[in-house]
Amino acid sequence: MLVTLDAPYVDTRAADLSLARDDVERPALHVLDLVLPGPIRLELRLLGASHQVVLRAGDSRLTETVACLPGRPPELPATVL
């Protein structure tokens, strides 16, 4: 899927990003919404030079955000369990 976005270019280094789980949904430049069997809903959210994944299954919700997040020091773990 190719999407054209009307957004200014902003240079970001991986060292500027942090990882957050169970974060609030962030404003997105584009969202790909998928409905999977179960029913499970998966949102892939493009946040400029970063991303957010939102997974919903029944009443459960899980998010992963990799972005420059206000109030959080930049830190990406080497591994995530």
Side-chain angles (χ1 to χ4, degrees):
M1 167 191 278
L2 182 62
V3 176
T4 302
L5 301 173
D6 184 22
Y9 175 77
V10 178
D11 193 19
T12 303
R13 301 175 308 134
D16 297 331
L17 303 174
S18 59
L19 171 69
R21 291 186 176 170
D22 295 325
D23 193 21
V24 298
E25 291 183 30
R26 304 284 175 166
L29 296 172
H30 185 75
V31 177
L32 178 60
D33 197 1
L34 304 168
V35 178
L36 306 172
I40 297 171
R41 183 172 166 212
L42 181 67
E43 284 185 13
L44 305 176
R45 305 171 62 81
L46 180 62
L47 314 176
S50 48
H51 77 268
Q52 184 174 55
V53 177
V54 181
L55 176 69
R56 290 185 179 86
D59 293 334
S60 298
R61 179 179 161 276
L62 174 69
T63 64
E64 174 198 87
T65 307
V66 175
C68 296
L69 298 170
R72 292 181 81 103
E75 179 183 3
L76 288 177
T79 61
V80 178
L81 300 175

